Amino acid sequence: MIDLRSDTVTKPTQRMRQAMAQAEVGDDVYGEDPTVRALEETAAEMLGKEAGLLVTSGTQGNQIAVLTHTRPGQEVIVEADAHVFYYEVGAMAALAGVQTRPLHGVRGQMAIDDIAAAIRGNNIHYPETGLICLENTHNRAGGAVLPLAYMERAYALARRMGVPLHLDGARLFNASVAAGAPVRDFAACADTVQICLSKGLGAPIGSLLVGTRDVIARARKWRKALGGGMRQAGVIAAPGLIALTEMVERLAQDHERARRLAEGLANVAGIAVDVSAVETNIVVADVSSVGMSVSEFVAALAGCGVLATEFGGSTVRFVTHLDIREEDIDDTVAAAAFCSRAR
Ligand code: TLP
């Protein structure tokens, strides 16, 4: 099977498995797991923040950030297609008791003026604006990179208005590699950043939340409250360290393959892809003219050994990653051409 459903499907490398087996461990709730501490310090250092916190998943990291920055009854400004709003089971409302203020963005970017206009003034009727969330790269915008200049403007506004900014950087290393800008420059535009180890970086489990020492100390308590206080978590942290220190540069290969896949799919009758919109490892294809429904097309592809995801409307998402080889790209394009009924 060529599994292009997500970059979450990667299997740990041999080196990662060895590192797990040999990891030095301790009870991390007591702060005694040396491998977890090394991972948290490494992530904080790479992202230019004071402290880091290993969490179970990207979702947990984002939700802990919301819980840490806000109080119930506050409002969170978020792009309408952002993961934290679209794909996290309504957790912001259910757990943090905040209401969301979704703003429609273009390629994942809410207009700065729209954010400014959405920040609540001092009025007895209004909720307080408790947080602004950005996502980079932006998943539902097809892996679009939020440029550094945009992030700087958004953060300048947030600071001027005294509103914290959380960055969902599940794929921030993809953004950094694609933009050719250090990851810490992006991280400097946010109070907290969540990065995923288990996407393009290939680790089996885990994310990190980074920020100031004070914010991360409070986040650590929320992690405990959510049942995320893991004990000998060094076995998770060990492959995470490999992910951070050895797997970043190879993301360029995923981007290159996504680009080739987009070009190939764009040549298939019935499929439309905006190749110029493919900046990182995500390809969104419009299959409205393939002569069958999106789910039929995805099922037909699966029958040919290619897995992809229905992505809403007439679109299908393909994500390249560590376990996708060069020849898988050609095989995927051939399978799509075989399955399409358009001529
Ligand atoms: N995204 C998954 C699905 O949940 C959609 C995927 O296959 O892309 N932020 C962003 C931008 C994400 O794309 C994801 C996962 C998360 C957060 C959540 O990470 P996990 O899955 O570790 O909770």
Side-chain angles (χ1 to χ4, degrees):
M1 276 290 183
I2 301 171
D3 194 345
L4 292 156
R5 285 173 302 169
S6 181
D7 47 8
T8 59
V9 302
T10 56
K11 308 269 178 14
T13 63
Q14 215 44 48
R15 262 181 62 64
M16 287 181 178
R17 290 175 189 270
Q18 271 162 12
M20 293 174 85
Q22 291 160 4
E24 231 188 290
V25 295
D27 189 325
D28 185 50
V29 173
Y30 292 107
E32 290 172 3
D33 189 302
T35 313
V36 171
R37 291 173 77 144
L39 176 65
E40 292 176 343
E41 281 162 19
T42 302
E45 159 70 25
M46 287 173 83
L47 292 160
K49 298 291 186 202
E50 286 174 8
L53 179 71
L54 174 64
V55 294
T56 56
S57 65
T59 301
Q60 192 184 59
N62 285 341
Q63 293 304 325
I64 288 174
V66 175
L67 284 159
T68 304
H69 287 299
T70 65
R71 289 192 309 277
Q74 287 188 328
E75 189 167 71
V76 176
I77 297 175
V78 64
E79 203 281 322
D81 264 342
H83 194 281
V84 68
F85 173 68
Y86 196 97
Y87 283 125
E88 297 188 11
V89 208
M92 278 199 275
L95 304 180
V98 292
Q99 75 176 21
T100 40
R101 184 82 178 271
L103 305 179
H104 287 281
V106 176
R107 296 200 52 71
Q109 297 171 44
M110 300 175 276
I112 301 291
D113 287 348
D114 290 352
I115 302 176
I119 295 174
R120 300 286 191 157
N122 187 10
N123 181 312
I124 193 169
H125 303 90
Y126 291 168
E128 288 169 11
T129 302
L131 183 66
I132 299 168
C133 290
L134 298 180
E135 180 177 315
N136 200 1
T137 64
H138 194 291
N139 178 6
R140 289 197 56 79
V145 177
L146 272 55
L148 203 46
Y150 171 83
M151 301 270 318
E152 285 166 355
R153 287 179 64 211
Y155 195 43
L157 170 68
R159 293 188 78 155
R160 198 165 64 243
M161 302 306 288
V163 180
L165 191 152
H166 171 66
L167 173 60
D168 177 351
R171 297 186 180 86
L172 190 61
F173 287 95
N174 295 82
S176 153
V177 166
V183 77
R184 58 164 55 211
D185 289 4
F186 288 98
C189 302
D191 295 290
T192 49
V193 185
Q194 181 274 116
I195 53 162
C196 282
L197 302 169
S198 64
K199 296 197 165 59
L201 302 182
I205 306 167
S207 285
L208 285 128
L209 184 69
V210 298
T212 61
R213 235 172 248 115
D214 169 55
V215 165
I216 294 303
R218 287 188 285 127
R220 197 174 286 279
K221 290 207 71 151
W222 276 118
R223 184 187 70 171
K224 189 76 182 75
L226 296 181
M230 298 177 285
R231 302 295 178 170
Q232 286 72 36
V235 292
I236 292 171
L241 270 167
I242 295 177
L244 284 185
T245 55
E246 297 178 20
M247 306 297 275
V248 172
E249 276 165 27
R250 60 151 304 283
L251 293 173
Q253 196 174 67
D254 296 345
H255 300 174
E256 153 71 23
R257 288 182 182 159
R259 182 90 186 181
R260 229 162 55 69
L261 177 61
E263 285 164 359
L265 290 173
N267 284 326
V268 173
I271 299 183
V273 183
D274 180 357
V275 178
S276 67
V278 179
E279 296 180 73
T280 58
N281 68 331
I282 297 178
V283 178
V284 180
D286 188 313
V287 300
S288 50
S289 304
V290 289
M292 64 191 100
S293 71
V294 181
S295 43
E296 282 166 345
F297 183 70
V298 167
L301 272 182
C304 290
V306 175
L307 300 179
T309 316
E310 286 184 50
F311 210 44
S314 54
T315 63
V316 176
R317 184 185 76 161
F318 301 82
V319 187
T320 55
H321 52 75
L322 182 60
D323 295 342
I324 294 297
R325 298 158 308 165
E326 192 68 25
E327 57 268 34
D328 294 335
I329 301 300
D330 301 320
D331 291 351
T332 299
V333 173
F338 179 80
C339 292
S340 174
R341 289 203 193 113
R343 289 291 170 257

Short mmCIF file of all heavy atoms in Angstrom, two decimals, residues 4-5 86-87 139-140 283-285 287 293-301 307-318:
data_model
loop_
_atom_site.label_atom_id
_atom_site.label_comp_id
_atom_site.label_asym_id
_atom_site.label_seq_id
_atom_site.Cartn_x
_atom_site.Cartn_y
_atom_site.Cartn_z
N LEU A 4 -0.79 7.63 1.52
CA LEU A 4 -0.64 9.08 1.45
C LEU A 4 -1.74 9.80 2.24
O LEU A 4 -1.99 10.98 2.04
CB LEU A 4 -0.68 9.53 -0.02
CG LEU A 4 0.53 9.08 -0.87
CD1 LEU A 4 0.17 9.01 -2.34
CD2 LEU A 4 1.72 10.01 -0.66
N ARG A 5 -2.39 9.05 3.17
CA ARG A 5 -3.49 9.68 3.93
C ARG A 5 -2.97 10.81 4.81
O ARG A 5 -3.63 11.82 4.98
CB ARG A 5 -4.19 8.63 4.80
CG ARG A 5 -5.11 7.69 4.01
CD ARG A 5 -5.62 6.60 4.89
NE ARG A 5 -4.52 5.84 5.48
CZ ARG A 5 -4.65 4.96 6.46
NH1 ARG A 5 -5.85 4.72 6.97
NH2 ARG A 5 -3.60 4.32 6.93
N TYR A 86 -11.31 23.13 13.91
CA TYR A 86 -12.02 22.28 12.94
C TYR A 86 -11.98 20.80 13.33
O TYR A 86 -12.92 20.07 13.09
CB TYR A 86 -11.36 22.49 11.57
CG TYR A 86 -12.13 22.01 10.37
CD1 TYR A 86 -12.90 22.90 9.62
CD2 TYR A 86 -12.08 20.68 9.96
CE1 TYR A 86 -13.60 22.48 8.51
CE2 TYR A 86 -12.78 20.25 8.84
CZ TYR A 86 -13.53 21.15 8.11
OH TYR A 86 -14.22 20.73 7.01
N TYR A 87 -10.83 20.39 13.93
CA TYR A 87 -10.57 18.95 14.08
C TYR A 87 -10.32 18.52 15.53
O TYR A 87 -9.78 17.44 15.74
CB TYR A 87 -9.31 18.57 13.31
CG TYR A 87 -9.42 18.45 11.80
CD1 TYR A 87 -8.56 19.18 10.97
CD2 TYR A 87 -10.31 17.58 11.20
CE1 TYR A 87 -8.61 19.05 9.59
CE2 TYR A 87 -10.36 17.44 9.81
CZ TYR A 87 -9.51 18.18 9.02
OH TYR A 87 -9.55 18.04 7.65
N ASN A 139 -2.76 23.19 7.56
CA ASN A 139 -3.17 21.91 7.00
C ASN A 139 -4.29 22.05 5.95
O ASN A 139 -4.11 21.70 4.78
CB ASN A 139 -3.62 21.00 8.16
CG ASN A 139 -4.12 19.64 7.72
OD1 ASN A 139 -4.05 19.28 6.55
ND2 ASN A 139 -4.63 18.89 8.65
N ARG A 140 -5.42 22.63 6.35
CA ARG A 140 -6.55 22.67 5.41
C ARG A 140 -6.34 23.67 4.28
O ARG A 140 -7.06 23.62 3.28
CB ARG A 140 -7.87 22.93 6.16
CG ARG A 140 -8.30 21.70 6.99
CD ARG A 140 -9.75 21.76 7.39
NE ARG A 140 -10.63 21.90 6.25
CZ ARG A 140 -10.99 20.90 5.44
NH1 ARG A 140 -10.54 19.67 5.64
NH2 ARG A 140 -11.79 21.12 4.43
N VAL A 283 -0.78 17.83 -0.81
CA VAL A 283 -1.35 18.11 -2.13
C VAL A 283 -2.86 17.95 -2.02
O VAL A 283 -3.35 16.92 -1.56
CB VAL A 283 -0.82 17.10 -3.19
CG1 VAL A 283 -1.46 17.37 -4.56
CG2 VAL A 283 0.71 17.18 -3.29
N VAL A 284 -3.59 18.98 -2.43
CA VAL A 284 -5.05 18.89 -2.43
C VAL A 284 -5.51 18.89 -3.90
O VAL A 284 -5.21 19.81 -4.64
CB VAL A 284 -5.69 20.06 -1.65
CG1 VAL A 284 -7.21 19.94 -1.68
CG2 VAL A 284 -5.18 20.08 -0.21
N ALA A 285 -6.20 17.80 -4.27
CA ALA A 285 -6.64 17.66 -5.66
C ALA A 285 -8.16 17.75 -5.72
O ALA A 285 -8.86 17.18 -4.89
CB ALA A 285 -6.17 16.31 -6.21
N VAL A 287 -11.32 16.53 -7.53
CA VAL A 287 -11.64 15.39 -8.39
C VAL A 287 -13.09 15.44 -8.89
O VAL A 287 -13.68 14.41 -9.21
CB VAL A 287 -11.33 14.05 -7.66
CG1 VAL A 287 -9.85 13.97 -7.28
CG2 VAL A 287 -12.20 13.84 -6.43
N SER A 293 -18.16 9.88 -7.55
CA SER A 293 -18.11 10.73 -6.34
C SER A 293 -16.71 10.67 -5.72
O SER A 293 -15.91 9.78 -6.05
CB SER A 293 -19.14 10.25 -5.32
OG SER A 293 -18.71 9.01 -4.78
N VAL A 294 -16.44 11.61 -4.81
CA VAL A 294 -15.13 11.64 -4.17
C VAL A 294 -14.88 10.33 -3.42
O VAL A 294 -13.79 9.74 -3.51
CB VAL A 294 -15.03 12.82 -3.17
CG1 VAL A 294 -13.65 12.86 -2.53
CG2 VAL A 294 -15.30 14.13 -3.86
N SER A 295 -15.89 9.84 -2.70
CA SER A 295 -15.66 8.60 -1.94
C SER A 295 -15.46 7.40 -2.86
O SER A 295 -14.65 6.52 -2.57
CB SER A 295 -16.74 8.35 -0.89
OG SER A 295 -17.98 8.62 -1.42
N GLU A 296 -16.16 7.41 -3.98
CA GLU A 296 -15.94 6.32 -4.95
C GLU A 296 -14.51 6.38 -5.51
O GLU A 296 -13.85 5.35 -5.67
CB GLU A 296 -16.95 6.41 -6.11
CG GLU A 296 -18.33 5.90 -5.75
CD GLU A 296 -19.41 6.29 -6.77
OE1 GLU A 296 -19.18 7.19 -7.61
OE2 GLU A 296 -20.50 5.72 -6.68
N PHE A 297 -14.06 7.59 -5.76
CA PHE A 297 -12.72 7.74 -6.32
C PHE A 297 -11.66 7.30 -5.29
O PHE A 297 -10.72 6.58 -5.64
CB PHE A 297 -12.47 9.20 -6.75
CG PHE A 297 -11.15 9.41 -7.40
CD1 PHE A 297 -10.87 8.89 -8.67
CD2 PHE A 297 -10.14 10.14 -6.77
CE1 PHE A 297 -9.63 9.07 -9.27
CE2 PHE A 297 -8.90 10.33 -7.36
CZ PHE A 297 -8.65 9.80 -8.62
N VAL A 298 -11.85 7.72 -4.04
CA VAL A 298 -10.89 7.33 -2.98
C VAL A 298 -10.90 5.80 -2.82
O VAL A 298 -9.84 5.17 -2.66
CB VAL A 298 -11.21 8.07 -1.66
CG1 VAL A 298 -10.47 7.47 -0.48
CG2 VAL A 298 -10.86 9.55 -1.79
N ALA A 299 -12.08 5.20 -2.91
CA ALA A 299 -12.17 3.74 -2.80
C ALA A 299 -11.51 3.06 -4.00
O ALA A 299 -10.81 2.04 -3.86
CB ALA A 299 -13.64 3.31 -2.69
N ALA A 300 -11.70 3.64 -5.19
CA ALA A 300 -11.08 3.07 -6.40
C ALA A 300 -9.55 3.14 -6.29
O ALA A 300 -8.85 2.17 -6.61
CB ALA A 300 -11.56 3.82 -7.64
N LEU A 301 -9.06 4.27 -5.78
CA LEU A 301 -7.61 4.41 -5.59
C LEU A 301 -7.09 3.35 -4.61
O LEU A 301 -6.05 2.72 -4.84
CB LEU A 301 -7.27 5.79 -5.01
CG LEU A 301 -7.04 6.95 -5.96
CD1 LEU A 301 -6.68 8.20 -5.14
CD2 LEU A 301 -5.92 6.66 -6.96
N LEU A 307 -3.67 4.95 -0.83
CA LEU A 307 -4.59 5.52 0.16
C LEU A 307 -4.44 7.03 0.19
O LEU A 307 -3.33 7.57 0.27
CB LEU A 307 -4.29 4.95 1.55
CG LEU A 307 -4.41 3.42 1.70
CD1 LEU A 307 -4.06 3.00 3.13
CD2 LEU A 307 -5.82 2.96 1.34
N ALA A 308 -5.59 7.72 0.13
CA ALA A 308 -5.64 9.19 0.26
C ALA A 308 -6.88 9.51 1.09
O ALA A 308 -7.66 8.62 1.41
CB ALA A 308 -5.70 9.84 -1.12
N THR A 309 -7.04 10.79 1.44
CA THR A 309 -8.15 11.17 2.34
C THR A 309 -9.13 12.09 1.64
O THR A 309 -8.72 13.04 0.97
CB THR A 309 -7.60 11.98 3.55
OG1 THR A 309 -6.43 11.35 4.03
CG2 THR A 309 -8.61 12.07 4.66
N GLU A 310 -10.42 11.85 1.86
CA GLU A 310 -11.43 12.81 1.42
C GLU A 310 -11.22 14.07 2.24
O GLU A 310 -11.07 14.01 3.46
CB GLU A 310 -12.83 12.27 1.69
CG GLU A 310 -13.24 11.18 0.72
CD GLU A 310 -14.69 10.75 0.97
OE1 GLU A 310 -15.56 11.63 1.05
OE2 GLU A 310 -14.91 9.54 1.10
N PHE A 311 -11.25 15.23 1.59
CA PHE A 311 -10.84 16.45 2.29
C PHE A 311 -11.92 17.53 2.26
O PHE A 311 -11.64 18.70 2.44
CB PHE A 311 -9.53 16.96 1.66
CG PHE A 311 -8.63 17.69 2.61
CD1 PHE A 311 -8.38 17.23 3.89
CD2 PHE A 311 -8.01 18.88 2.22
CE1 PHE A 311 -7.54 17.91 4.77
CE2 PHE A 311 -7.17 19.58 3.09
CZ PHE A 311 -6.94 19.09 4.37
N GLY A 312 -13.15 17.11 1.99
CA GLY A 312 -14.26 18.08 1.98
C GLY A 312 -14.57 18.53 0.57
O GLY A 312 -13.67 18.68 -0.25
N GLY A 313 -15.86 18.71 0.29
CA GLY A 313 -16.29 19.10 -1.05
C GLY A 313 -15.83 18.06 -2.04
O GLY A 313 -16.00 16.85 -1.82
N SER A 314 -15.23 18.50 -3.12
CA SER A 314 -14.79 17.54 -4.15
C SER A 314 -13.28 17.32 -4.08
O SER A 314 -12.65 16.97 -5.08
CB SER A 314 -15.18 18.08 -5.53
OG SER A 314 -14.67 19.38 -5.68
N THR A 315 -12.69 17.51 -2.91
CA THR A 315 -11.23 17.42 -2.82
C THR A 315 -10.73 16.16 -2.10
O THR A 315 -11.42 15.58 -1.27
CB THR A 315 -10.63 18.66 -2.11
OG1 THR A 315 -11.12 18.71 -0.78
CG2 THR A 315 -10.99 19.95 -2.82
N VAL A 316 -9.52 15.80 -2.48
CA VAL A 316 -8.82 14.66 -1.88
C VAL A 316 -7.45 15.16 -1.45
O VAL A 316 -6.81 15.93 -2.18
CB VAL A 316 -8.66 13.52 -2.91
CG1 VAL A 316 -7.84 12.36 -2.33
CG2 VAL A 316 -10.02 13.01 -3.38
N ARG A 317 -7.00 14.74 -0.24
CA ARG A 317 -5.66 15.15 0.24
C ARG A 317 -4.67 14.00 0.14
O ARG A 317 -4.98 12.86 0.50
CB ARG A 317 -5.76 15.62 1.70
CG ARG A 317 -4.44 16.17 2.23
CD ARG A 317 -4.50 16.52 3.71
NE ARG A 317 -4.46 15.33 4.55
CZ ARG A 317 -4.13 15.33 5.85
NH1 ARG A 317 -3.87 16.46 6.46
NH2 ARG A 317 -4.12 14.21 6.53
N PHE A 318 -3.49 14.34 -0.35
CA PHE A 318 -2.36 13.40 -0.41
C PHE A 318 -1.23 14.03 0.39
O PHE A 318 -0.91 15.21 0.17
CB PHE A 318 -1.86 13.22 -1.85
CG PHE A 318 -2.91 12.69 -2.82
CD1 PHE A 318 -3.83 13.54 -3.41
CD2 PHE A 318 -2.93 11.34 -3.16
CE1 PHE A 318 -4.78 13.06 -4.31
CE2 PHE A 318 -3.87 10.84 -4.07
CZ PHE A 318 -4.80 11.70 -4.64
#
